[in-house]
Amino acid sequence: MTTALANTVPANSAPANTATHAHLPFRDRARGIVPGAALALGVAAVATVVGQHVPLVGSAVPGAVIGAAIALTVKPGARPVSNLNWAPGLKWASTFVLQCSVVLLGAQLSIGEAARVGLSSLPVMLGTLAVCLGAAWLYGRLLGVPRDLRTLIGVGTGICGGSAIAAVSPVIEAASTDVAYAISTIFLFNIAAVLAFPLLGHALGMSQQTFGLFAGTAVNDTSSVVATATTYGAAATSHAVVVKLVRTLMIIPICLGLAALTARRTAAPDAPAPDAPAPDAPAPGQPGLSPARLLRLVPWFLIGFVAVAAVNSAGIIPPAAHNPLQHTSVFLVAVALSAIGLSTNVSALRKAGPKPLLLGALLWVTVAAASLGLQLLTGTLH
């Protein structure tokens, strides 16, 4: 699978520039990053203003949309514009900046509180995640949705929306087109959840804690979880946020599993030689998937996420720093998604058609039904 940048550039132009860029001295590489990074930063600043005026949409989706609109006309990720090569900076912003935003998410999580809430809500959380990932695989294959795109929509719906997509996309080396489509799909059904789920909760007579568990497991993006639960009540909101943050921890095993699958898929030979060992046996002199190799598969930003969560749980991060860190994480996501939008191949989005959107709709309904069904089975629906 090619990288996100390779999917946004024409042949014989930016790929060569990017490869050359990787071998430049650090100072020259840093200078090459500036134009694209500055453009993504500017778009993210505008998107943040939009998000402040329309809190429901946040800043990440406007960043991706504004970036894609620019990409439709100027195509800064595909070719030099005004004698400036924007691609290296856009690539840096859509990967490294995105990973840094995931690290900062750990500052919102207390491991002790997560353990207490997690024990009571674990059956529903794990059940809905398993149902969502299985349904994404099944529905995606039936609809003919490409593997990476159905993976992104699946983890975005099952875990935590844009944050999960941010964590998974560099692990599976997803194309920026797939990331943009997945983010847009997740956003659409976030809006649907904010509008429909409180009405459903009142119709079913859910208690505050029950609705908090429902919102925390059936709505994916954190801001949408808050928006959905706030209209139901303060107690529902506090419970939903903790459930949602515990659910965020599922990023770690999912990313580890996807990293292992991606590494195996990348290393697999297209056509083994006649004397080659069987595919399920390691080559002579090559170890299998040892603990050391598994450790190397762990993305650095997941280690950072856990480390920051541990530091926060130890009380080292002062409460006054939580909001600034959260806003910083949200802004970094906006910068990264602006860069992804600026790198988007809009014609490829059109070519993808409505099937990924249909996949998102089916998963949205499936996860909501699974959350309610599992609460009914575990006796927490009251």
Side-chain angles (χ1 to χ4, degrees), residues 324-344:
L325 287 173
Q326 181 182 13
H327 290 314
T328 301
S329 177
V330 169
F331 183 71
L332 291 180
V333 171
V335 172
L337 290 180
S338 297
I340 288 171
L342 289 162
S343 304
T344 298

Side-chain angles (χ1 to χ4, degrees), residues 345-361:
N345 186 333
V346 181
S347 62
L349 281 177
R350 295 196 198 101
K351 190 181 297 184
K355 289 183 178 180
L357 193 63
L358 178 58
L359 172 62

